[in-house]
Coordinates of all heavy atoms in Angstrom, one line a residue:
F192 N 1.3 26.3 -0.7 CA 0.9 26.8 -2.1 C -0.4 27.6 -2.0 O -0.6 28.6 -2.6 CB 0.8 25.6 -3.0 CG 0.5 26.2 -4.4 CD1 1.4 26.5 -5.3 CD2 -0.9 26.0 -4.8 CE1 1.1 26.9 -6.5 CE2 -1.1 26.4 -6.1 CZ -0.2 27.0 -7.1
T193 N -1.4 27.0 -1.3 CA -2.8 27.7 -1.2 C -2.5 28.9 -0.3 O -3.0 30.0 -0.6 CB -3.6 26.7 -0.4 OG1 -3.9 25.6 -1.2 CG2 -5.0 27.4 -0.2
L194 N -1.7 28.9 0.7 CA -1.4 30.1 1.6 C -0.9 31.2 0.8 O -1.2 32.4 1.1 CB -0.7 29.7 2.8 CG -0.4 30.8 3.9 CD1 -1.8 31.3 4.4 CD2 0.5 30.3 5.0
I195 N 0.1 30.8 0.0 CA 0.8 32.0 -0.8 C -0.1 32.8 -1.6 O 0.1 34.0 -1.7 CB 1.9 31.2 -1.7 CG1 3.1 30.7 -1.0 CG2 2.3 32.1 -2.8 CD1 3.9 31.8 -0.5
F196 N -1.1 32.0 -2.2 CA -2.0 32.9 -3.1 C -3.3 33.4 -2.5 O -4.0 34.0 -3.0 CB -2.3 32.0 -4.3 CG -1.2 31.7 -5.1 CD1 -0.4 30.8 -5.2 CD2 -0.8 32.8 -6.2 CE1 0.7 30.4 -6.0 CE2 0.4 32.6 -7.0 CZ 1.0 31.5 -6.9
S197 N -3.5 33.1 -1.0 CA -4.6 33.6 -0.4 C -4.4 34.5 0.7 O -5.4 35.3 1.1 CB -5.3 32.4 0.2 OG -4.6 31.7 1.1
A198 N -3.2 34.7 1.2 CA -2.9 35.6 2.3 C -2.4 36.9 1.8 O -2.0 37.1 0.7 CB -1.8 35.0 3.1
G199 N -2.5 37.8 2.7 CA -1.9 39.2 2.6 C -2.8 40.1 1.8 O -2.3 41.2 1.4
N200 N -4.0 39.8 1.7 CA -4.9 40.8 1.0 C -5.6 41.8 2.0 O -6.2 41.3 3.0 CB -6.0 40.1 0.1 CG -5.4 39.4 -1.1 OD1 -4.5 39.8 -1.6 ND2 -5.9 38.0 -1.3
A201 N -5.8 43.0 1.6 CA -6.5 43.9 2.5 C -7.9 44.1 2.1 O -8.0 43.8 0.8 CB -5.7 45.3 2.6
S202 N -8.8 44.5 2.9 CA -10.1 44.7 2.5 C -10.5 46.1 2.9 O -10.5 46.6 4.1 CB -11.0 43.8 3.1 OG -12.4 44.0 2.8
A203 N -10.9 47.0 1.8 CA -11.2 48.4 2.2 C -12.6 48.7 1.5 O -12.9 48.1 0.6 CB -10.1 49.3 1.6
S204 N -13.4 49.4 2.2 CA -14.8 49.8 1.7 C -15.1 51.1 2.1 O -14.8 51.6 3.1 CB -15.8 48.7 2.2 OG -16.0 48.9 3.6
S205 N -15.8 51.7 1.1 CA -16.5 53.1 1.2 C -17.8 52.9 1.7 O -18.7 52.2 1.1 CB -16.4 53.8 0.0 OG -17.1 55.2 0.2
V206 N -18.2 53.4 2.9 CA -19.5 53.1 3.4 C -20.6 54.1 2.8 O -20.4 55.2 2.7 CB -19.6 53.5 5.0 CG1 -21.0 53.2 5.6 CG2 -18.5 52.6 5.7
F207 N -21.8 53.4 2.5 CA -22.9 54.2 1.8 C -23.7 54.7 2.9 O -24.3 53.9 3.7 CB -23.7 53.0 0.9 CG -24.9 53.7 0.1 CD1 -24.6 54.8 -0.7 CD2 -26.0 53.2 0.3 CE1 -25.5 55.4 -1.4 CE2 -27.1 53.8 -0.4 CZ -26.8 54.9 -1.4
L208 N -23.6 56.0 3.1 CA -24.2 56.6 4.2 C -25.7 56.3 4.5 O -26.1 56.2 5.5 CB -24.0 58.2 4.2 CG -22.4 58.6 4.3 CD1 -22.4 60.1 4.0 CD2 -22.0 58.2 5.6
P209 N -26.4 56.3 3.4 CA -27.8 56.0 3.7 C -28.2 54.6 4.2 O -29.3 54.3 4.8 CB -28.5 56.1 2.2 CG -27.7 57.0 1.5 CD -26.4 56.7 2.0
D210 N -27.2 53.7 4.2 CA -27.4 52.4 4.7 C -27.3 52.4 6.3 O -27.5 51.5 7.0 CB -26.3 51.4 4.3 CG -26.6 50.9 2.8 OD1 -27.7 51.2 2.4 OD2 -25.7 50.4 2.2
L211 N -26.6 53.5 6.8 CA -26.4 53.5 8.3 C -27.8 53.9 9.0 O -28.6 54.6 8.4 CB -25.5 54.8 8.6 CG -24.1 54.6 8.0 CD1 -23.2 55.7 8.6 CD2 -23.6 53.2 8.3
F212 N -27.9 53.5 10.2 CA -29.2 53.6 11.1 C -29.2 55.1 11.5 O -28.2 55.6 12.2 CB -29.3 52.8 12.3 CG -30.4 52.9 13.1 CD1 -31.6 52.4 12.7 CD2 -30.4 53.7 14.2 CE1 -32.8 52.7 13.5 CE2 -31.4 53.8 15.1 CZ -32.7 53.2 14.6
Q213 N -30.3 55.8 11.3 CA -30.3 57.3 11.6 C -31.3 57.6 12.7 O -32.2 56.9 12.7 CB -30.8 58.0 10.2 CG -29.9 57.8 9.0 CD -30.6 58.4 7.7 OE1 -31.4 59.5 7.8 NE2 -30.3 57.8 6.6
A214 N -30.9 58.5 13.6 CA -31.7 58.9 14.6 C -31.6 60.3 14.8 O -30.5 60.8 14.8 CB -31.4 58.1 15.9
G215 N -32.7 61.0 15.0 CA -32.6 62.5 15.2 C -32.9 63.2 13.9 O -33.5 62.8 13.0
I216 N -32.2 64.3 13.7 CA -32.3 65.2 12.6 C -31.1 64.9 11.6 O -30.2 65.4 11.8 CB -32.4 66.7 12.9 CG1 -33.5 66.9 14.0 CG2 -32.7 67.5 11.8 CD1 -33.5 68.4 14.6
V217 N -31.3 64.1 10.7 CA -30.2 63.6 9.7 C -30.7 63.8 8.4 O -31.8 63.4 7.9 CB -29.9 62.1 10.0 CG1 -28.7 61.9 9.1 CG2 -29.3 62.0 11.5
E218 N -29.9 64.5 7.5 CA -30.2 64.6 6.1 C -29.0 64.1 5.3 O -27.7 64.4 5.7 CB -30.5 66.1 5.7 CG -31.7 66.6 6.3 CD -32.0 68.1 5.8 OE1 -31.2 68.6 5.0 OE2 -33.0 68.7 6.4
I219 N -29.2 63.3 4.2 CA -28.1 62.8 3.5 C -28.3 63.2 2.0 O -29.4 62.8 1.4 CB -27.9 61.3 3.6 CG1 -27.7 60.9 5.1 CG2 -26.9 60.7 2.7 CD1 -27.6 59.4 5.3
N220 N -27.4 64.0 1.4 CA -27.6 64.5 -0.1 C -26.2 64.5 -0.5 O -25.1 65.0 -0.1 CB -28.2 65.9 0.0 CG -29.6 65.9 0.5 OD1 -30.5 65.3 -0.1 ND2 -29.8 66.8 1.5
N221 N -26.0 63.8 -1.8 CA -24.9 63.9 -2.6 C -23.7 63.4 -1.8 O -22.6 64.1 -1.9 CB -24.6 65.2 -3.2 CG -25.7 65.8 -4.0 OD1 -26.3 65.0 -4.8 ND2 -26.1 67.1 -3.9
G222 N -23.9 62.3 -1.2 CA -22.8 61.8 -0.3 C -22.4 62.5 1.0 O -21.4 62.1 1.6
V223 N -23.2 63.5 1.4 CA -22.8 64.1 2.7 C -24.0 64.0 3.6 O -25.2 64.3 3.3 CB -22.6 65.6 2.3 CG1 -22.3 66.3 3.6 CG2 -21.5 65.8 1.3
A224 N -23.6 63.5 5.0 CA -24.6 63.4 6.0 C -24.5 64.6 6.8 O -23.5 64.9 7.3 CB -24.4 62.1 6.7
T225 N -25.6 65.3 7.1 CA -25.7 66.4 8.0 C -26.5 66.1 9.2 O -27.7 65.8 9.0 CB -26.3 67.6 7.2 OG1 -25.6 68.0 6.1 CG2 -26.4 68.8 8.2
L226 N -25.9 66.1 10.3 CA -26.7 65.8 11.6 C -26.8 67.2 12.5 O -25.7 68.0 12.5 CB -25.7 64.8 12.5 CG -25.5 63.4 11.9 CD1 -24.7 63.4 10.8 CD2 -25.1 62.5 13.1
Q227 N -27.8 67.4 13.1 CA -28.0 68.6 13.8 C -28.4 68.2 15.3 O -29.0 67.2 15.6 CB -29.3 69.4 13.2 CG -29.0 69.8 11.8 CD -30.2 70.5 11.2 OE1 -30.7 71.6 11.9 NE2 -30.7 70.2 10.1
T228 N -28.1 69.2 16.1 CA -28.4 68.9 17.5 C -29.8 69.2 17.7 O -30.6 68.7 18.6 CB -27.6 70.0 18.4 OG1 -27.9 71.3 18.1 CG2 -26.1 69.7 18.4
G229 N -30.5 70.2 17.0 CA -31.9 70.4 17.0 C -32.4 71.2 18.1 O -33.4 71.9 18.0
N230 N -31.6 71.3 19.3 CA -32.1 72.0 20.4 C -33.5 71.7 20.9 O -33.7 70.7 21.2 CB -31.9 73.4 20.1 CG -30.4 73.9 19.9 OD1 -29.5 73.2 20.6 ND2 -30.1 74.6 18.9
N231 N -34.4 72.6 20.7 CA -35.9 72.2 21.1 C -36.7 71.5 20.0 O -37.9 71.3 20.1 CB -36.5 73.6 21.4 CG -35.9 74.2 22.7 OD1 -35.6 73.5 23.7 ND2 -35.7 75.6 22.7
D232 N -36.0 71.2 18.9 CA -36.8 70.5 17.9 C -37.1 69.1 18.5 O -36.3 68.3 18.7 CB -35.8 70.3 16.6 CG -36.6 69.9 15.4 OD1 -37.5 69.0 15.6 OD2 -36.4 70.2 14.4
P233 N -38.4 68.7 18.4 CA -38.8 67.4 18.9 C -38.3 66.2 18.1 O -38.3 65.1 18.6 CB -40.5 67.4 18.9 CG -40.7 68.5 17.8 CD -39.6 69.5 17.9
A234 N -37.8 66.5 16.9 CA -37.2 65.4 16.2 C -35.8 64.9 16.7 O -35.3 63.8 16.4 CB -37.0 65.8 14.7
A235 N -35.2 65.8 17.4 CA -33.8 65.4 18.0 C -34.0 64.3 19.0 O -35.2 64.1 19.5 CB -33.3 66.6 18.6

Side-chain angles (χ1 to χ4, degrees):
F192 180 86
T193 301
L194 184 62
I195 284 290
F196 289 97
S197 62
N200 293 321
S202 177
S204 64
S205 178
V206 178
F207 186 54
L208 292 173
D210 286 343
L211 303 186
F212 180 79
Q213 305 170 28
I216 308 170
V217 181
E218 296 181 1
I219 300 177
N220 293 300
N221 300 319
V223 179
T225 301
L226 295 74
Q227 301 182 49
T228 57
N230 299 316
N231 295 319
D232 191 324

